[in-house]
């Protein structure tokens, strides 16, 4: 019997290690790549990771035309078949208060529990999105506002507030640089 264990146990352990190693490798390959550009602006995938669900290929439907800006241009970012992020690029003639926009139930950029944050531009962050605005003279207007709305998240939890702030701290100024503001 001891000879049986000396032969079978090492073979069983070797097989188990191969199976677990194969599952680990499949798990590594199963992790998707996040884009290095989002709606025409370069961004670190590290900043995007906490904003997206764990599964689904990430792709976008981008209607933003920087060379010929429209008053409102959407960019939808999908994870699989579902919209994960809605970015709204808006140019307008008058300055706005993003907190008033975020709190307005008539606004398409209504946020849950919005608060002003200490960023270089006028920015508010909510549980489910962010709004930043700045002066930016183009043919479409003299001010630019970016709204980032997370889809399918619980608006009563502040899970995304810190990742949204990190994202907007980098993404908004980088986006403004791509707009050729006068």
């Amino acid at each position: 019997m001891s000879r049986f264990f000396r032969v079978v146990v090492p073979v069983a352990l070797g097989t188990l290690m191969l199976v677990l190693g194969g599952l680990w490798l499949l798990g590594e390959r199963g992790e998707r790549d996040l884009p290095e550009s989002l709606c025409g602006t370069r961004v670190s995938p590290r900043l995007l990771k906490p904003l997206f669900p764990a599964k689904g290929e990430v792709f976008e439907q981008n209607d933003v035309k920087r060379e010929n800006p429209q008053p409102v241009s959407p960019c939808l970012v999908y994870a699989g078949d579902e919209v994960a992020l809605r970015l709204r690029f808006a140019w307008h003639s008058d300055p706005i208060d993003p907190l008033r926009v975020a709190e307005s139930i008539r606004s398409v950029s209504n946020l849950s529990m919005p608060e002003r944050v200490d960023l270089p531009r006028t920015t508010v962050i909510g549980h489910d999105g962010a709004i930043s605005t700045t002066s930016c003279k183009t043919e479409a207007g003299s001010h630019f506002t970016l709204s980032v709305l997370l889809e399918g998240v619980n608006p009563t939890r502040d899970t995304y507030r810190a990742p949204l702030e990190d994202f907007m701290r980098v993404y908004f100024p980088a986006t403004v640089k791509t707009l050729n503001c006068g």
Side-chain angles (χ1 to χ4, degrees):
M1 183 113 161
S2 92
R3 182 176 179 170
F4 174 76
F5 283 113
R6 280 187 284 177
V7 172
V8 171
V9 170
V11 170
L13 285 174
T15 303
L16 180 62
M17 289 175 65
L18 281 172
V19 168
L20 291 176
L23 289 174
W24 178 76
L25 285 174
L26 286 175
E28 287 294 307
R29 264 189 263 141
E31 189 173 314
R32 64 155 182 249
D33 291 327
L34 290 171
E36 292 183 11
S37 176
L38 188 69
C39 303
T41 302
R42 291 190 56 75
V43 64
S44 168
R46 177 187 58 77
L47 291 171
L48 294 176
K49 188 173 183 176
L51 301 178
F52 282 94
K55 296 182 180 180
E57 179 185 353
V58 176
F59 63 96
E60 67 184 52
Q61 177 185 342
N62 184 353
D63 293 333
V64 179
K65 296 173 179 61
R66 285 165 167 77
E67 64 284 345
N68 184 22
Q70 302 301 305
V72 176
S73 299
C75 180
L76 303 177
V77 186
Y78 293 82
D81 295 337
E82 302 291 324
V83 174
L85 282 174
R86 289 182 189 274
L87 284 81
R88 184 176 184 267
F89 294 66
W91 286 266
H92 39 93
S93 58
D94 297 325
I96 64 159
D97 177 357
L99 187 58
R100 288 188 67 191
V101 172
E103 292 177 330
S104 173
I105 59 172
R106 291 178 281 151
S107 169
V108 295
S109 299
N110 178 260
L111 302 179
S112 174
M113 304 299 291
E115 295 176 1
R116 293 186 195 281
V117 293
D118 186 27
L119 291 174
R121 307 288 196 290
T122 306
T123 300
V124 296
I125 306 286
H127 290 341
D128 51 357
I131 303 171
S132 288
T133 189
T134 191
S135 176
C136 176
K137 295 183 190 323
T138 65
E139 290 180 22
S142 57
H143 292 82
F144 171 70
T145 300
L146 174 68
S147 300
V148 178
L149 306 170
L150 296 172
E151 293 291 325
V153 301
N154 184 343
T156 63
R157 300 186 68 199
D158 69 351
T159 306
Y160 298 97
R161 187 177 291 276
L164 279 164
E165 186 172 341
D166 292 343
F167 174 77
M168 291 300 276
R169 187 175 305 279
V170 173
Y171 187 80
F172 185 71
T175 297
V176 171
K177 285 181 182 178
T178 70
L179 301 178
N180 302 316
C181 298

